[in-house]
């Protein structure tokens, strides 16, 4: 009988220890805009791999559609109630989510915005993101070098995201113009430049159809366009189709930003001349590491030198390297792309 009691006591003790161990396992939340966009799928992959490596529990949430703030608010509240140590979030509504983020931080959670800063950016403890201005600047520098003397007579079509002057949209656009040697007026605004080489700006919503439509609009304005900047690679693919329909695809240089696998394949196929690759897996992976360190020591991540966010890197991809500009080929790019 005593033996049975001892066994029961051991089982109870083991169960208590197991429960305690589970309770001590840090919980980290990842909240993305959607769970279908390849960019966010890669984020989830990076976060999950790092969470398993570091022995923490990752709980993932996503909006039902891009712009679904309500679901993201519910996810944050769920994580607060669960006693999570930190949250990684790509905000759908950069201002609308802020009051809920403030509640999380007041509850002691570390909050890191991924890719998209909150409005204001200081509403999060830190933003882990691509230096989008640098990404634009790199493709601008490459395009200028590629065109050589013809850059002085360029006719540039700018295919942006929207008219809303979104931070990422502005940074890529203005970085490209600076890299190409265009004088900026207000770097925080698009469309106020006076350089005669700019044919005009149009919006794409970041889609292939939007890129096609915007390209057609700007060709009507000036059929002599010979350089096209696009906010992302789907828009670049649409611009190419529009140019191809006019028999101009071999006469116009297209540059873009993102680094998704379809975009890198378009480098290989000659659709896009160069693109700047960003690293969503790295954003999420390093975000998990930062929250784990915070849980252990209380230390918070710091911004990269000269920036107000933590830079997760950018790489120029092209099969036509330009002297003095660091780049890798599409073959290398396809080995590290996402989507």
């Amino acid at each position: 009988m005593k033996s049975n009691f001892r066994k029961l006591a051991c089982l109870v003790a083991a169960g208590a220890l197991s429960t305690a161990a589970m309770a001590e396992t840090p919980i980290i939340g990842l909240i993305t805009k959607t769970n279908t966009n390849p960019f966010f799928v890669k984020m989830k992959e990076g976060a999950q791999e790092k969470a398993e490596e570091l022995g923490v529990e990752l709980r993932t949430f996503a909006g039902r559609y891009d712009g679904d703030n309500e679901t993201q608010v519910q996810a944050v509240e769920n994580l607060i109630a669960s006693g999570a140590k930190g949250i990684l979030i790509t905000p759908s509504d950069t201002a609308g989510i802020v009051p809920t983020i403030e509640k999380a931080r007041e509850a002691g959670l570390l909050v890191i915005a991924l890719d998209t800063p909150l409005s204001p950016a200081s509403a999060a403890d830190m933003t882990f993101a691509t230096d989008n201005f640098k990404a634009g600047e790199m493709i601008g520098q490459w395009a200028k070098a590629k065109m050589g003397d013809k850059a002085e007579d360029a006719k540039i079509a700018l295919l942006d995201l929207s008219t809303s002057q979104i931070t990422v949209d502005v940074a890529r656009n203005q970085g490209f113009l600076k890299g190409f040697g265009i004088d900026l007026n207000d770097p925080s605004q698009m469309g106020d430049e006076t350089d005669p080489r700019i044919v005009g700006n149009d919006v794409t919503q970041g889609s292939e159809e939007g890129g096609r439509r915007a390209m057609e609009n700007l060709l009507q304005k000036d059929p002599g366009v010979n350089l096209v900047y696009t906010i992302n690679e789907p828009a670049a693919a649409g611009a190419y189709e529009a140019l191809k329909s006019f028999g101009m695809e071999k006469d116009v240089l297209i540059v873009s930003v993102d680094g998704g696998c379809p975009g890198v394949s378009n480098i290989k196929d000659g659709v896009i001349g160069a693109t700047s690759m960003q690293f969503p897996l790295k954003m999420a992976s390093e975000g998990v590491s930062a929250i784990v360190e915070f849980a252990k020591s209380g230390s918070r991540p710091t911004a990269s030198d000269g920036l107000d966010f933590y830079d997760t890197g950018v790489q120029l991809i092209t099969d036509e390297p330009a002297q003095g500009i660091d780049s890798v080929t599409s073959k290398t790019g396809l080995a590290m792309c996402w989507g």
Side-chain angles (χ1 to χ4, degrees):
M1 183 68 71
K2 289 182 179 180
S3 176
N4 289 337
F5 278 128
R6 289 195 191 98
K7 289 179 181 178
L8 179 60
C10 288
L11 287 170
V12 170
L17 287 170
S18 176
T19 301
M22 289 175 65
E24 291 171 2
T25 301
I27 297 170
I28 296 174
L30 172 67
I31 307 170
T32 54
K33 294 178 184 180
T34 70
N35 60 10
T36 55
N37 186 310
F39 190 84
F40 303 132
V41 170
K42 185 58 69 172
M43 273 189 178
K44 183 177 178 180
E45 179 184 324
Q48 190 65 60
E49 288 178 357
K50 183 57 69 172
E52 291 174 2
E53 176 189 330
L54 298 179
V56 297
E57 179 183 349
L58 181 73
R59 298 185 183 180
T60 62
F61 307 82
R64 294 164 294 176
Y65 53 86
D66 198 332
D68 180 10
N69 184 58
E70 181 181 353
T71 298
Q72 290 198 325
V73 166
Q74 292 171 354
V76 173
E77 291 174 344
N78 179 301
L79 288 162
I80 295 171
S82 299
K85 295 296 184 181
I87 295 172
L88 306 170
I89 183 168
T90 59
S92 287
D93 185 333
T94 57
I97 194 75
V98 166
T100 310
I101 294 298
E102 289 174 347
K103 291 179 184 177
R105 294 179 71 187
E106 288 169 2
L109 282 75
L110 184 76
V111 178
I112 296 175
L114 299 180
D115 182 55
T116 306
L118 294 173
S119 182
S122 59
D125 289 283
M126 184 54 62
T127 301
F128 282 31
T130 304
D131 186 340
N132 283 290
F133 190 92
K134 182 179 179 181
E137 191 172 22
M138 290 167 70
I139 54 174
Q141 291 170 341
W142 179 86
K144 183 179 181 180
K146 177 67 177 172
M147 294 187 77
D149 293 340
K150 293 181 180 178
E152 294 301 318
D153 299 315
K155 291 190 175 183
I156 306 169
L158 299 165
L159 275 58
D160 301 311
L161 180 65
S162 72
T163 59
S164 301
Q165 302 284 347
I166 297 169
T167 304
V168 169
D169 201 9
V170 173
R172 293 183 182 184
N173 172 293
Q174 297 289 279
F176 164 76
L177 291 175
K178 181 183 178 185
F180 195 75
I182 303 289
D183 289 334
L184 304 180
N185 187 9
D186 180 352
S188 67
Q189 295 289 319
M190 297 185 296
D192 61 354
E193 298 80 23
T194 59
D195 195 300
R197 290 176 288 180
I198 298 175
V199 170
N201 301 63
D202 209 322
V203 299
T204 67
Q205 302 304 320
S207 71
E208 186 169 338
E209 177 55 36
R212 182 183 297 110
R213 183 177 58 251
M215 190 73 258
E216 290 171 350
N217 291 341
L218 290 171
L219 284 172
Q220 288 179 8
K221 188 173 182 180
D222 189 335
V225 167
N226 58 8
L227 175 59
V228 178
Y229 153 84
T230 67
I231 177 66
N232 65 7
E233 293 149 1
Y240 178 83
E241 289 303 316
L243 292 166
K244 188 176 181 180
S245 70
F246 290 101
M248 298 175 59
E249 72 275 15
K250 294 182 180 179
D251 304 319
V252 180
L253 192 61
I254 301 176
V255 293
S256 195
V257 178
D258 256 355
C261 295
V264 178
S265 291
N266 277 341
I267 295 284
K268 181 180 178 181
D269 295 338
V271 172
I272 302 172
T275 194
S276 289
M277 177 181 283
Q278 50 184 345
F279 299 99
L281 187 149
K282 184 178 180 182
M283 289 179 199
S285 175
E286 297 199 4
V288 169
S289 294
I291 293 175
V292 170
E293 183 58 38
F294 170 74
K296 289 180 178 178
S297 67
S299 64
R300 299 171 186 271
T302 57
S304 300
D305 290 345
L307 300 172
D308 60 359
F309 62 93
Y310 181 87
D311 181 9
T312 53
V314 63
Q315 175 66 61
L316 185 69
I317 312 292
T318 182
D319 285 337
E320 301 177 48
Q323 187 173 0
I325 299 175
D326 179 62
S327 67
V328 299
T329 65
S330 62
K331 182 178 180 180
T332 300
L334 286 169
M336 59 185 185
C337 63
W338 47 269

